[in-house]
Amino acid sequence: LRYIFDHFGFQYYRDNRLNLSLSLTPLPGLTLQPGLRLHHRTLMGWNALSAATGMNRRLGSIAPRLRVEWTPGQYYYTAGHRRIPLYSRLPTFMADAANGLSTVSAPTGYTRLEGGATYRLPLFALRSLFFRVGAGVYTRREKNCFLDYDYFRYSYLPTGWNDELSGQFQLLDSHWYNEARSYVLTTTAYESPMLLVSRLPFLTRAVRTERLYVNLLHLSTLGYYTEWGYGIATPLLDAAAFVAFAGSRQSGLGVKFVFHLFDY
């Protein structure tokens, strides 16, 4: 069955999903989000071969979930009965748990646990350091379960950090996000108004900040993966070059751009 799945174009399911959640803030800096996630997946390229091998044409799943986000020492102001967060000198911690129910119409039971933290550390002379750590695991997984992490592919940047290239793996092929039963990651970014190219006279006015990136990852399927990068920020765009190392399967070079067309 695995050979047929890999060699006859049955890698893709069309996924229709519905996320329902309720956001509660019982204390400043603490957010609770109970919810429900539903998936309805349909195999693309269905034909007689896939039917003869017993592949599922449609798969459904239903999973109660709970997300918790906590920022200790949260400063805020009140607007009527609302508490509006400002900033905190401490990291933001996140956790998410989902328990997929196995039913007759949705035989895709699983238990997923994820957690992480982000932090922006201000340094001297307008310099700053960004950290992100995270981990996730499927402790229970039935044969029709799809791996689908929440904290893996998104950075969840803290307030005051405006670099959209931080906290993510820029060169990691997308299929790795949904093939590992567990992952552990850490990403860092160092930002400085004067580092390398901003010291050149003809670039001093154009380059606002420069950044260094170091991203580390361990996947149960890939092993160790690292990314190193250097970037600049200008009034119109952010640009960065990255190099990745993970053996012959996932190594390479790449450049990413983020434009700021509507920021002014």
Side-chain angles (χ1 to χ4, degrees):
L1 183 60
R2 181 65 185 180
Y3 176 84
I4 294 173
F5 186 86
D6 289 339
H7 290 80
F8 289 91
F10 299 136
Q11 295 90 342
Y12 302 105
Y13 276 78
R14 181 180 290 110
D15 182 20
N16 297 310
R17 62 183 178 180
L18 176 65
N19 289 320
L20 304 173
S21 64
L22 176 66
S23 184
L24 305 172
T25 308
L27 298 171
L30 177 62
T31 301
L32 306 177
Q33 291 184 326
L36 190 68
R37 171 175 287 179
L38 298 95
H39 285 269
H40 183 268
R41 295 180 169 93
T42 305
L43 181 65
M44 300 174 64
W46 178 265
N47 56 29
L49 177 61
S50 53
T53 54
M55 297 185 69
N56 293 294
R57 187 173 185 178
R58 295 181 179 87
L59 287 170
S61 66
I62 178 171
R65 60 180 303 187
L66 175 64
R67 174 175 293 180
V68 179
E69 184 173 316
W70 179 44
T71 305
Q74 178 74 66
Y75 287 83
Y76 65 94
Y77 71 93
T78 58
H81 296 288
R82 297 182 59 197
R83 295 168 174 166
I84 310 300
L86 292 174
Y87 68 92
S88 174
R89 297 188 177 92
L90 298 174
T92 295
F93 300 92
M94 299 171 290
D96 189 285
N99 187 53
L101 305 179
S102 184
T103 65
V104 174
S105 60
T108 53
Y110 64 89
T111 300
R112 174 179 56 82
L113 302 174
E114 285 187 88
T118 62
Y119 184 48
R120 176 179 178 267
L121 176 64
L123 302 175
F124 65 96
L126 301 178
R127 292 165 171 81
S128 57
L129 193 62
F130 164 77
F131 297 95
R132 178 192 173 210
V133 296
V137 63
Y138 274 74
T139 60
R140 178 175 64 91
R141 179 191 175 194
E142 297 186 5
K143 66 177 183 177
N144 292 321
C145 166
F146 283 76
L147 299 178
D148 189 12
Y149 293 107
D150 277 3
Y151 290 157
F152 191 168
R153 69 188 70 194
Y154 300 112
S155 56
Y156 294 93
L157 298 175
T159 302
W161 187 267
N162 298 317
D163 177 23
E164 296 182 29
L165 297 174
S166 298
Q168 304 180 53
F169 294 89
Q170 302 295 336
L171 304 183
L172 185 65
D173 195 287
S174 60
H175 77 273
W176 292 111
Y177 287 103
N178 300 106
E179 290 194 359
R181 188 157 185 167
S182 64
Y183 73 87
V184 178
L185 65 84
T186 178
T187 68
T188 59
Y190 172 72
E191 183 177 78
S192 172
M194 296 193 70
L195 196 61
L196 297 174
V197 302
S198 58
R199 298 179 181 272
L200 302 176
F202 58 91
L203 291 177
T204 299
R205 293 180 179 272
V207 178
R208 295 187 303 183
T209 57
E210 297 176 77
R211 300 173 179 127
L212 299 176
Y213 304 92
V214 180
N215 303 329
L216 308 175
L217 171 68
H218 182 269
L219 293 174
S220 58
T221 49
L222 178 64
Y224 290 98
Y225 172 84
T226 63
E227 281 184 3
W228 303 75
Y230 166 80
I232 61 173
T234 72
L236 294 180
L237 64 86
D238 294 353
F242 294 89
V243 57
F245 301 97
S248 59
R249 292 185 295 171
Q250 185 65 40
S251 300
L253 300 170
V255 179
K256 293 294 183 76
F257 298 92
V258 176
F259 291 92
H260 305 288
L261 300 179
F262 303 103
D263 289 355
Y264 300 95

